[in-house]
Amino acid sequence: MAQNNATKILKVVLVIYAIVVLVYGLGFLLIPGVLAKISGASPVDLGWLRWPGGILIALGIGALLVRRDPTKQGVFVTTISLGTLLTGLALLYSWIVHEYSAATWFIGLPTIIVLVVSALLWWSRQKSKGIL
């Protein structure tokens, strides 16, 4: 029963992760100019925003596919857990040293979201070790 509960937790966290990366991925891929404009950031070549958008969308779709049957998918779960941790730490560093030109909320919000999702992924990964 505990393993079944752990699997349910992991599946919910995978959906949360998928939603976050799909929202950011679609935004970066389809409307990077709008995102750059509302952020108040210095102008940037939009191609630098589009390519990570595609990767985020792929990871989101991957998370939804793994959600169907997370058995033996530990490598994927570890990869996205590590990816969110490194992303969150990079954003936090940029936020602390004021290494951004956008409005503070535009770096603060994703920093918090990504670090929370990272913590959830690491926690659910640990709880689901039996199936991963």
Side-chain angles (χ1 to χ4, degrees):
M1 180 69 177
Q3 189 169 345
N4 191 21
N5 190 34
T7 303
K8 287 179 186 177
I9 291 169
L10 177 63
K11 287 181 176 185
V12 168
V13 173
L14 285 169
V15 169
I16 293 168
Y17 169 82
I19 290 168
V20 170
V21 296
L22 287 170
V23 166
Y24 278 98
L26 287 169
F28 286 147
L29 184 69
L30 301 176
I31 56 167
V34 172
L35 292 178
K37 186 175 182 173
I38 65 171
S39 77
S42 301
V44 63
D45 291 331
L46 299 181
W48 288 110
L49 297 176
R50 289 188 196 280
W51 76 264
I55 292 171
L56 289 171
I57 291 169
L59 289 170
I61 291 169
L64 294 175
L65 294 173
V66 167
R67 184 205 173 275
R68 287 188 203 163
D69 184 13
T71 307
K72 304 241 186 259
Q73 297 298 324
V75 170
F76 182 81
V77 175
T78 301
T79 300
I80 62 175
S81 300
L82 186 57
T84 55
L85 177 62
L86 294 173
T87 300
L89 292 175
L91 288 171
L92 183 61
Y93 175 81
S94 291
W95 189 6
I96 290 169
V97 300
H98 299 285
E99 189 179 63
Y100 59 95
S101 62
T104 301
W105 72 268
F106 210 78
I107 194 166
L109 184 61
T111 301
I112 293 165
I113 290 171
V114 171
L115 287 173
V116 167
V117 171
S118 179
L120 289 171
L121 282 165
W122 286 108
W123 173 67
S124 64
R125 179 186 168 278
Q126 183 64 30
K127 290 188 76 61
S128 302
K129 275 179 28 176
I131 63 158
L132 295 176

